[in-house]
Amino acid sequence: SPPPPNRGVSEAMLRRLDKINKTSKVLHYAERDELITRNAKKRVQRMMHYHVSLRPFVATVVTKTEGEMGLPNVGNWGGRQVSPTEELSPTGSFDGEELELGLANAAAAPGPARPSPSDSPVPTPQPDAQESPFMCTPQSFPPTPGARSFVMQRSSAFAEDVLFLARDQLRVEKHSSSSNEKTRAVAEALRQQSRLAVFNAQDTGNAITLTCGQHCATKSGNTLYSSTRSMIPVLRNCLVYFELSVEPPGPGGGGAARIEDAVQSAMASLSIGLSTQEMPLNTLVGSWKGSVGLCTTGQILDAGRWCSTVDTRKSSYGNRCTVGCLVHVDDSTAFETWDGEMVNASITFNVDGQVVKCISETGGVRGGTVLAIPKEEELFPTLTLHSADTKVLCRFCSADIIATKRSEIGLPANATDNVVFTLDGSVLFDYGQTESTNAGAAGSAGGASDHGASGGSTSESSAASASRAPRRRREATM
């Protein structure tokens, strides 16, 4: 038996669609094997949201649906009467105005003669572009290329956030069973307070966008300075180390790509340091009291005072550089001032393993700087972005730290009597250790970290690999 005829869309569905946008039945549709120009092909691909055939076509449509069978006696289009089964070519003309039904270069199809505009008893109004059924953008899909790109990237960004979140939670779970008492205490506090060693979205400027599970900060606005702080403060009365890596603007290449990368590296402008929550988020870290920062120029800004470094060529940094910070908040150094009780925080910066040495007020050389902060205030790792499209990745866990030796972070190689922690409480250098044994410290972008992984989790290993960039050691300039 022959297959049942295709009845198409029901009349009830047509009426519902017609209430939203003008809808008509297609009685006949035929495509022709004709080539189109390259410009016409590009124009169609820019304007269409979905895949469509690019061959010229001839379509016969019903201009108005009335009656039980949907075949009207007389249709009306744009104020003039037409035949109910008038055949429309890809390029038709109504009242002198072109309506593009297909490709502009397609030839007109033969069909019944169209009545002239003078035969219409009704005056011709100006057509409304928003009511046209031909160039109607789907209301469920963004119309602009930028909005479409955002929608397409949103799902991948969500997947990245889930992977990083799973990795961080696995790390907290592993640290809760660590042999170090302080590491276990920090892990328990993070679990109870539902916090992680990432940038704090509630303590971030409006011009900064956080991605990769709040591990990556990018400046997207046009404000002068925009800052972000970590979610958890620095541990007190112990050595704490963390790193921030300035990511390149795009994948590297040869020739002109290298020149462009070098130019953008020189243009990167930011500052990395520490601050209390008193510092406003639209302020350069180091310019406010209770804050200190190392700028890309190689100078240290300490509570509004510029501190010169021994060699700015070694202390300056840009894209593909990693800045480390070793801090020790010592409560035993408390002293009274007009602003209340203050404590000293000893801070040492390094750029790609080269310790930044400062020139003291007496002309001597010192390995770091001392910052006075209120005793009741906490100190947070802080990032201030100045240049647009600057991307910085935080490394707050020992599994992500690139430094492998104590001398690279500002400690003497033989000083092994202190434990060095990272921001999340994990141990970077234990008693008697001169080199770190972390898999993440090897600087291999392809290797997976075993710190924070529980039971060899695949998602943990993938996220850990994505968060580690290969380290580029800069040669010392003589």
Side-chain angles (χ1 to χ4, degrees), residues 80-373:
R80 76 173 179 80
Q81 296 179 352
V82 296
S83 172
T85 59
E86 179 174 359
E87 188 173 6
L88 303 180
S89 64
T91 303
S93 177
F94 291 125
D95 300 334
E97 181 176 354
E98 293 289 334
L99 294 178
E100 294 182 348
L101 302 183
L103 301 176
N105 64 329
R114 298 184 178 90
S116 62
S118 59
D119 297 337
S120 177
V122 183
T124 304
Q126 293 294 333
D128 189 357
Q130 296 182 352
E131 296 181 357
S132 173
F134 304 109
M135 297 303 297
C136 180
T137 300
Q139 298 178 359
S140 62
F141 205 81
T144 63
R148 290 196 294 271
S149 177
F150 175 78
V151 170
M152 300 301 293
Q153 294 177 359
R154 187 167 54 185
S155 59
S156 60
F158 176 76
E160 288 182 355
D161 292 340
V162 171
L163 287 176
F164 275 94
L165 178 61
R167 182 196 69 172
D168 296 336
Q169 291 180 346
L170 287 172
R171 286 177 173 176
V172 173
E173 186 70 22
K174 183 175 182 179
H175 295 164
S176 61
S177 59
S178 173
S179 59
N180 188 278
E181 182 180 358
K182 188 180 292 291
T183 302
R184 295 196 306 269
V186 173
E188 185 64 25
L190 293 179
R191 182 189 301 176
Q192 293 179 357
Q193 300 176 11
S194 299
R195 292 190 177 188
L196 296 171
V198 295
F199 288 122
N200 190 358
Q202 305 299 326
D203 204 6
T204 299
N206 296 329
I208 292 182
T209 302
L210 299 181
T211 55
C212 298
Q214 299 178 204
H215 284 267
C216 186
T218 306
K219 185 179 180 183
S220 56
N222 55 1
T223 58
L224 182 61
Y225 295 118
S226 190
S227 302
T228 179
R229 279 186 281 262
S230 63
M231 187 176 293
I232 57 179
V234 172
L235 299 177
R236 306 176 81 96
N237 302 316
C238 63
L239 293 173
V240 179
Y241 181 76
F242 65 90
E243 291 178 343
L244 294 175
S245 297
V246 185
E247 297 296 306
R258 294 182 180 178
I259 299 177
E260 182 180 359
D261 184 36
V263 172
Q264 293 192 8
S265 176
M267 295 176 59
S269 179
L270 63 145
S271 182
I272 296 172
L274 300 110
S275 70
T276 62
Q277 290 185 329
E278 293 182 353
M279 190 196 82
L281 296 177
N282 59 350
T283 306
L284 178 65
V285 59
S287 61
W288 198 265
K289 61 180 182 178
S291 68
V292 61
L294 176 64
C295 302
T296 50
T297 58
Q299 295 175 303
I300 295 179
L301 187 58
D302 183 1
R305 299 173 300 175
W306 288 104
C307 300
S308 300
T309 56
V310 175
D311 191 351
T312 57
R313 293 174 298 179
K314 295 182 180 179
S315 59
S316 60
Y317 60 94
N319 291 323
R320 301 183 183 275
C321 293
T322 297
V323 178
C325 181
L326 179 67
V327 57
H328 181 209
V329 181
D330 191 0
D331 288 336
S332 63
T333 61
F335 58 95
E336 293 290 339
T337 64
W338 292 102
D339 296 329
E341 192 174 8
M342 312 287 285
V343 295
N344 288 330
S346 302
I347 300 165
T348 303
F349 293 101
N350 74 82
V351 178
D352 289 337
Q354 298 288 335
V355 178
V356 178
K357 297 182 179 180
C358 305
I359 300 177
S360 62
E361 298 177 354
T362 59
V365 178
R366 58 184 181 182
T369 183
V370 178
L371 178 68
I373 62 172

Side-chain angles (χ1 to χ4, degrees), residues 381-404:
T382 306
L383 167 68
T384 299
L385 297 178
H386 179 213
S387 56
D389 298 328
T390 304
K391 184 177 181 181
V392 179
L393 179 69
C394 68
R395 301 178 184 273
F396 294 154
C397 180
S398 61
D400 297 332
I401 297 298
I402 295 178
T404 59

